[in-house]
Structure formats: structure tokens, C-alpha cells
Amino acid sequence: MNSRPIGIFDSGVGGMTVLAEIAKELPNEDLIYLGDTKNFPYGDKSKENIIKISKKCVEFLISKNVKLVIIACGTATSQALEELRKEFNIPILGIISPTVESIKKSVKEKSKSIIGVIATEGTIRSNKWEQELKEKIEDITVINKACPLLAPMAEQGWTVNKVAKETIKEYMSVFKDKNIDKLILGCTHYPLFKGLIEKELGNGVEIINTGEKIAKAVTDYLNEQNANNDKTNNADCKIYLTDTECNFINVAEKLLKDESVKDKISKVNIE
């Protein structure tokens, strides 16, 4: 057993969709969340900058004595995961591999699948989703679409208004008439738009929330390593932000259905 907390980081509120899934899957685990709101968004930054920022985030979480680090960010996973694993002697999980492994299990042998991926410009530019999907799954077609407006809109809480509806309609148009089987939400902000995306694509397309997949992967990892927290009381959740002059609290409260989120937040400098 291991009572140390699990560390999670993202550029903003998007990673809270991952935290919510982990808290649901592993209610006994203490969680520490770092939202690097000062450097938001990650999606338009260079790979070198993403690696530099991500190292700072991991260093902060390690200073909090976490047993595991989860990169709850598609951009940081695609650009920095390999470097972070070389740099730090701590288990680090990203959102791509667990999602691809889950899809691989669900795809029927010798069937031809068409999978859509929506993510930030940096993630799409890295081509990590398509590379790993094609490496692990035979006879697969991948259609990528960068959706740079969605993460900033999610940070503002614009997830169900008229602007959100029109933006989702525009972004989803590339998938119309392509007969995609699944759509991967390759940025952790995007599950906040899941309802609108489902309406636009119809019930025939499976919408894949990476937070659900990483939560299952964390469960499997802790079980394999016998590293679960055996506490029976309510788990503790601490949230650190690099900039509190943002809309994080309002969005997080709605996402977690928890009006006490503001009481769990502290401002921190990771530079």
C-alpha cells in the first residue's frame, strides 16, 4: 500500500475532467492538482517551451511527495512525455497510450476503423495520436482536426452557449460524411463540449473521453504495483494554480458539482 497522493497537471481547467474521472474511479486516493494557468494555453507553444514548462510542473508535484504523475494534457503528453520520463525517476502517465490501448481492445480483428481526433494545434502538429493509433491498430484511418478555439472557450465557461454551438458545428464539419466510428477528444478541455459534439455527429459515433481511459489505466497501475491508498475516510484533494486571476473556479465548481472548490485552491509559483 502507498498512502502518498497522485499528482496531476494541466495548463488550466481541462485537466479537471481527468481529476473528476480519477476521483470517481479511485475514491480513496488523495489527489494534488496543478493548473498552470499562468502559461495557458499550451497548444500554441513550441515543443521546447512545452518541455521546459512541463518539467517545472513535474518538479512541483514531486516536491509534494506524489507517488505518480499524470499529464492531464494532450499537448504536454504529445510534446514532453518522453523527455519527462528520461528526466525524472517517478512513474509518469500521459493520456495518449491508455486511450489507444483501450481502443485497440474494442476494435474487432480485421475490421477497418475510421477514427477522428480533435486536439490543440500543437498536439495535431506532433502527429502523436495518428502515429500511435496506426502502430497499435491495423487497417485504421485517422482523420485529424485542430480545434484551437475550444480550450480558451472552456476556460471562459463558454461550453453550451451560441458561440460554442456554432464553433462545434464548424469544427465537426470535417467529419461529416466520413463515417467515422469514434472521435477522440484529444484535449482534456474538450469533454466539456461532449453534449454539443454528440448532437452534431449523432449517436452512431462513439465519443472517447481520455479522462475515463487514464483513470482505468491508473487503477490498473496501482493494483499491479500494490500502491493503492488503503484509507477509508474521504480522500483529500488539493488544487494549486499558477495564476488565480482566471475563471478556473467557476468552471471547476460546475464540472465537479462542488461549491467548495475555491477553498481547496492555493496560488503557487513554479518558476
Side-chain angles (χ1 to χ4, degrees):
M1 296 296 173
N2 189 330
S3 61
R4 292 157 60 199
I6 295 170
I8 305 167
F9 81 88
D10 180 40
S11 61
V13 78
M16 295 296 283
T17 63
V18 175
L19 181 144
E21 295 297 336
I22 292 174
K24 187 193 310 180
E25 181 78 14
L26 296 162
N28 294 336
E29 295 292 336
D30 293 333
L31 305 175
I32 293 180
Y33 183 88
L34 173 62
D36 187 18
T37 43
K38 182 178 179 180
N39 288 305
F40 176 85
Y42 283 3
D44 60 0
K45 291 179 171 56
S46 67
K47 180 175 180 178
E48 292 74 20
N49 203 2
I50 293 297
I51 292 172
K52 180 180 177 181
I53 294 169
S54 297
K55 285 182 179 179
K56 295 290 186 183
C57 291
V58 174
E59 287 170 353
F60 172 79
L61 291 173
I62 289 175
S63 76
K64 296 299 179 181
N65 196 32
V66 299
K67 60 186 174 186
L68 168 69
V69 172
I70 298 167
I71 308 176
C73 171
T75 303
T77 297
S78 66
Q79 309 269 5
L81 177 59
E82 293 177 9
E83 291 299 320
L84 295 177
R85 284 178 169 169
K86 292 176 185 176
E87 180 88 9
F88 300 102
N89 186 27
I90 188 172
I92 303 175
L93 300 179
I95 67 169
I96 296 178
S97 291
T99 303
V100 173
E101 287 296 333
S102 176
I103 293 172
K104 181 181 178 180
K105 292 176 184 177
S106 69
V107 172
K108 294 180 180 178
E109 190 176 351
K110 296 183 179 179
S111 65
K112 293 184 178 180
S113 296
I114 304 175
I115 296 180
V117 178
I118 57 174
T120 65
E121 288 181 309
T123 301
I124 296 299
R125 187 169 58 247
S126 75
N127 206 35
K128 289 291 185 181
W129 278 108
E130 183 166 356
Q131 286 176 1
E132 193 150 345
L133 284 163
K134 289 185 174 180
E135 179 183 315
K136 298 289 179 63
I137 305 170
E138 295 182 0
D139 294 324
I140 189 174
T141 299
V142 180
I143 302 173
N144 296 295
K145 176 61 179 176
C147 302
L149 296 179
L150 295 188
M153 288 169 59
E155 291 287 324
Q156 292 299 317
W158 290 14
T159 56
V160 293
N161 63 12
K162 184 177 180 181
V163 175
K165 291 176 184 177
E166 290 301 317
T167 304
I168 290 297
K169 182 178 181 180
E170 177 64 27
Y171 282 150
M172 293 304 104
S173 63
V174 71
F175 301 112
K176 291 293 184 69
D177 303 322
K178 295 291 193 300
N179 296 316
I180 64 172
D181 307 293
K182 308 174 192 296
L183 178 71
I184 297 172
L185 306 182
C187 169
T188 55
H189 286 79
Y190 296 178
L192 297 169
F193 300 93
K194 185 178 178 182
L196 293 180
I197 292 171
E198 287 176 331
K199 287 182 180 178
E200 197 62 34
L201 295 182
N203 296 328
V205 178
E206 179 186 358
I207 308 300
I208 296 178
N209 178 351
T210 57
E212 295 174 357
K213 309 308 179 186
I214 190 69
K216 295 289 186 184
V218 172
T219 299
D220 292 342
Y221 173 81
L222 294 180
N223 288 336
E224 290 168 3
Q225 300 297 318
N226 193 28
N228 302 83
N229 191 339
D230 61 354
K231 70 188 291 185
T232 56
N233 57 308
N234 290 333
D236 184 35
C237 177
K238 294 180 180 177
I239 301 171
Y240 296 90
L241 301 181
T242 54
D243 186 359
T244 53
E245 297 299 319
C246 58
N247 201 41
F248 182 100
I249 295 174
N250 292 333
V251 179
E253 284 180 343
K254 292 177 183 177
L255 175 63
L256 299 179
K257 299 179 176 60
D258 180 0
E259 294 183 358
S260 68
V261 168
K262 59 181 176 294
D263 300 323
K264 301 173 183 176
I265 293 176
S266 301
K267 187 176 180 181
V268 65
N269 182 8
I270 64 171
E271 300 301 324

